[in-house]
Amino acid sequence: MDMLSFARHLGRLDRAQLDEVRRVRREARKPPLPDDPGALAERLGEEGVAAAMRLVSRDALAVGRVVAGLGSGATVESVVEVTGGDREAVRAALTELRQVGVAWPDGDVVCLVPQVLERLRRTTERWEVTGRPAVERGRGAPDGELRSLAQHLLRSAYALLDTGRPIAGLKNGGVGSKERKRLGAALGLDDEYLVLLLELLFTAGLLARAGSVFRVTARYEQWRGETPARQWAKLAWAWAGLPHSPVAEREPAASKIYSPRVRSARWAVLRAARGGSSVDGVAAAAYWFCPLVHQHAEVVVREAQMLGVVAGDVLSVCGQALLSADDAEALAAAVAGVVVPMPCEVEVLEDLTAVVFGQLTVEARRVLEAAAESRVEDGAQVWRFTAASVRAAFARGWTAESLLAALTDLTRQDVPWALRVLLGEQGRGQVRVREVGCCLVAEAEVVAEVVRLPGFVELAPTVVGSAMAPAEVVARLLAEGFAVVEDLSSGNVAVRRRKPQAVDPAEEPVPVDLSDLVAGEPSTAQVVRGLNRELSDEAVALLAGAIDEKSDVRVDYVKKGGEFSQRTITPIRWDGPFLVAWCHLREDERQFKVTRIKAVSPAHP
């Protein structure tokens, strides 16, 4: 095809249309930036073509294949005739191809960039043009819920990093399950949320590897002083560019090499949900909206909900801003009216360290500077109460009573006993009385979820109290998706984990074989063969299948010292020449160098 006509087409686009292409095609924003339509056409025709095709629908692939087959005879009329689809569906499919920068009109003729043209010509699969599947409008969420999601992300980041304490890392990279369990218990976060948070902080440059541990960076102090909108935008922008899914890879059965396919799935699912469509509905019909990456749609939605990109069942204001922003700065400006400064809260820990949540107010700074020592530990600011700092406060005119009252106002909770002793208050024997209308009994993980709802307070690790009547509590929890059993005789309520929210797709997904379109990426078998030239073809196929299908496999492995062992493993991810997998013998993650795998066999008869 004549790339000059592609350049002429790009030159005729208005600013909004050109910005849409540049947002979708990341390579168009790489330096040196194309300085004219010809340079942009060359860049779009040579780089990122496979990634662009992952963003389009099944109809767009069907229409593209027909255009490739018709060549210079490809017009809207001829494509409609060959596909048997209606004119509007064909036009919509061609619009998709133009928006991702792989197709353009040259008079009445539809043209494709050479890479797409050749790959679609080689594809033998045929599809019908069916039109967009019906997806219901989603349920929106109040502004308060969206703010809560964004603030929860930032509060969790503050709680994790403000203390400056190092986070233990694994030898092969990442944070192990034991350390995550410890952090999750301390912060009240489930493992899925914690894994995503750690990945975002690392990608945004706020957390870095330092030997065997992870520490906050100097960039964190700067980030901590920025507005919540800028803080959230930097984390959300880091998520948008992640080439993999942290949530999917935490599962022992997860597989796949880090690849841009998950990143493409993020953009494809979010773009398809524009206009108020149900996000769950789009994910259920992902086999039509993004057939090349449909398997990642569900995890994309889960991560988007954690960040506040999705609120309720629709793309939130923040999600819409993410789709239209050119960078993190533009995103921060777009969400400034939603991600607003949080009320300042101070938490005093048992070790006499004060952690500040939200933006530090003048009053909070006045009290902390008067009675505590400000320190920077590993790049993060903390406040520590000492005997010397308290004596200095007394010398400035503070009393034990005035300090205790000021700290109580700031923390809005009981000041720890250790600090009361330091201030000279003998409070031993005091008892707090709380009126409770109903008690809830649940697992500790469920309690952590329930107490995040208004009107509930933790009484013990497995007991929650509420001033509401039992019937009102039951109705509230059922509405939030919990399984509830009420004991009318005792007034207690037993709560189980949230019920999974299943979404029934409109029709069963149809498998798509489009290996030619992603021929530029090595298959898992090719990666295994490239790392181990000695394995038989059967062993390579068996190991690659276990990685791709998320299944167990048995390997004969020789350790560095020459010791032979046989292990049953479940692949998790690639780490350079190593395969990180769940070892069933050790019941933990282990790192296996592929060159030391001598044989592969089925894990089960």
Side-chain angles (χ1 to χ4, degrees):
M1 290 294 177
D2 182 9
M3 295 300 286
L4 289 177
S5 71
F6 188 25
R8 288 195 295 271
H9 162 71
L10 293 174
R12 289 192 298 268
L13 296 180
D14 61 31
R15 179 63 180 271
Q17 293 171 324
L18 197 56
D19 285 347
E20 174 73 12
V21 173
R22 285 174 173 159
R23 276 192 291 269
V24 172
R25 300 292 296 276
R26 297 168 62 89
E27 53 278 0
R29 304 196 302 269
K30 290 195 312 184
L33 295 175
D35 54 4
D36 59 64
L40 180 59
E42 183 178 357
R43 179 79 62 86
L44 295 178
E46 294 179 356
E47 301 180 27
V49 174
M53 293 302 289
R54 298 187 195 106
L55 300 176
V56 301
S57 68
R58 181 182 291 271
D59 275 6
L61 294 174
V63 167
R65 185 187 180 284
V66 172
V67 170
L70 292 173
S72 59
T75 64
V76 174
E77 298 299 332
S78 61
V79 173
V80 170
E81 182 179 351
V82 173
T83 61
D86 65 68
R87 185 183 304 276
E88 290 305 314
V90 169
R91 286 188 180 278
L94 290 173
T95 298
E96 280 191 67
L97 295 172
R98 287 200 300 271
Q99 287 176 339
V100 299
V102 299
W104 71 96
D106 186 4
D108 293 333
V109 178
V110 180
C111 305
L112 297 172
V113 297
Q115 284 193 42
V116 173
L117 181 67
E118 293 304 317
R119 291 179 179 182
L120 286 173
R121 278 178 174 171
R122 294 197 304 267
T123 302
T124 58
E125 191 74 28
R126 292 181 178 273
W127 312 280
E128 293 182 359
V129 177
T130 61
R132 177 187 172 107
V135 176
E136 295 181 355
R137 292 190 63 80
R139 175 188 60 82
D143 290 345
E145 181 176 334
L146 172 56
R147 289 194 184 95
S148 178
L149 291 170
Q151 290 177 355
H152 180 57
L153 178 70
L154 298 182
R155 286 179 186 275
S156 300
Y158 303 157
L160 180 64
L161 299 187
D162 271 2
T163 63
R165 296 189 183 98
I167 300 172
L170 295 172
K171 290 181 180 180
N172 60 305
V175 178
S177 56
K178 291 182 179 178
E179 179 71 352
R180 296 201 309 266
K181 186 175 181 180
R182 182 187 70 81
L183 291 172
L187 301 175
L189 302 177
D190 61 44
D191 192 52
E192 198 169 74
Y193 196 98
L194 179 61
V195 166
L196 179 62
L197 177 63
L198 287 168
E199 190 70 46
L200 296 183
L201 294 171
F202 181 84
T203 304
L206 309 179
L207 190 65
R209 185 81 186 225
S212 61
V213 299
F214 289 89
R215 296 183 181 275
V216 296
T217 65
R219 190 181 299 180
Y220 176 72
E221 187 174 0
Q222 177 184 350
W223 176 86
R224 188 66 168 84
E226 293 178 336
T227 64
R230 290 170 65 90
Q231 292 175 343
W232 183 88
K234 288 183 178 180
L235 296 182
W237 197 255
W239 175 73
L242 275 179
H244 59 284
S245 167
V247 168
E249 288 173 2
R250 65 176 280 278
E251 301 170 2
S255 63
K256 301 294 181 187
I257 309 170
Y258 281 20
S259 94
R261 296 187 183 184
V262 177
R263 181 167 55 214
S264 298
R266 285 193 194 100
W267 290 103
V269 170
L270 298 183
R271 291 175 77 239
R274 288 182 297 190
S277 294
S278 163
V279 175
D280 285 338
V282 168
Y287 62 89
W288 186 90
F289 286 105
C290 48
L292 296 180
V293 290
H294 69 91
Q295 65 272 31
H296 303 297
E298 182 181 347
V299 75
V300 164
V301 173
R302 281 157 54 194
E303 292 180 355
Q305 290 170 334
M306 295 180 201
L307 268 70
V309 172
V310 169
D313 185 31
V314 297
L315 203 60
S316 70
V317 173
C318 293
Q320 295 171 24
L322 179 62
L323 279 180
S324 59
D326 292 326
D327 53 35
E329 288 298 320
L331 177 58
V335 303
V338 179
V339 186
V340 295
M342 294 173 282
C344 177
E345 293 183 14
V346 179
E347 181 175 356
V348 182
L349 307 179
E350 292 292 342
D351 64 357
L352 301 181
T353 298
V355 180
V356 179
F357 299 95
Q359 303 299 302
L360 190 64
T361 62
V362 173
E363 175 62 16
R365 182 174 294 278
R366 184 179 75 89
V367 175
L368 292 174
E369 287 183 348
E373 298 174 355
S374 174
R375 302 177 183 178
V376 176
E377 298 182 358
D378 298 316
Q381 186 180 32
V382 298
W383 304 85
R384 194 176 302 280
F385 294 92
T386 65
S389 68
V390 171
R391 283 197 299 269
F394 290 163
R396 296 188 187 100
W398 290 85
T399 65
E401 292 76 15
S402 63
L403 271 179
L404 182 61
L407 289 170
T408 301
D409 287 340
L410 288 179
T411 61
R412 300 187 182 183
Q413 60 184 9
D414 285 343
V415 175
W417 171 255
L419 184 54
R420 289 176 178 270
V421 171
L422 189 61
L423 294 176
E425 176 176 339
Q426 303 301 315
R428 188 182 304 276
Q430 293 183 351
V431 178
R432 292 186 65 193
V433 178
R434 184 188 301 272
E435 181 178 355
V436 176
C438 177
C439 288
L440 291 72
V441 180
E443 297 174 351
E445 295 83 0
V446 179
V447 166
E449 292 184 60
V450 173
V451 295
R452 294 195 185 108
L453 301 175
F456 296 93
V457 62
E458 182 177 344
L459 301 178
T462 58
V463 181
V464 176
S466 174
M468 294 182 284
E472 187 179 355
V473 168
V474 170
R476 176 67 187 279
L477 293 176
L478 289 175
E480 292 292 335
F482 290 89
V484 182
V485 177
E486 182 181 5
D487 185 349
L488 297 176
S489 61
S490 66
N492 290 342
V493 174
V495 185
R496 302 191 184 96
R497 292 186 180 276
R498 291 180 183 271
K499 300 176 182 177
Q501 298 180 349
V503 178
D504 296 324
E507 54 181 295
E508 288 295 321
V510 180
V512 179
D513 182 11
L514 294 174
S515 55
D516 288 341
L517 288 180
V518 290
E521 298 180 4
S523 65
T524 306
Q526 289 173 323
V527 174
V528 173
R529 173 57 74 202
L531 294 173
N532 192 326
R533 301 284 183 182
E534 298 179 0
L535 285 176
S536 66
D537 290 344
E538 182 181 358
V540 168
L542 193 58
L543 181 57
I547 295 172
D548 286 337
E549 297 171 12
K550 305 179 181 180
S551 59
D552 301 340
V553 68
R554 183 176 292 121
V555 298
D556 294 350
Y557 190 74
V558 177
K559 297 182 180 179
K560 187 175 182 180
E563 181 183 352
F564 173 85
S565 66
Q566 191 173 69
R567 306 285 185 91
T568 297
I569 63 173
T570 304
I572 298 175
R573 63 180 181 274
W574 289 101
D575 183 12
F578 297 93
L579 178 64
V580 180
W582 181 265
C583 177
H584 292 235
L585 177 64
R586 302 301 182 193
E587 294 187 347
D588 201 358
E589 290 182 11
R590 288 292 187 270
Q591 192 180 61
F592 297 89
K593 195 168 185 178
V594 178
T595 54
R596 295 191 185 132
I597 296 178
K598 302 303 179 183
V600 185
S601 57
H604 309 289

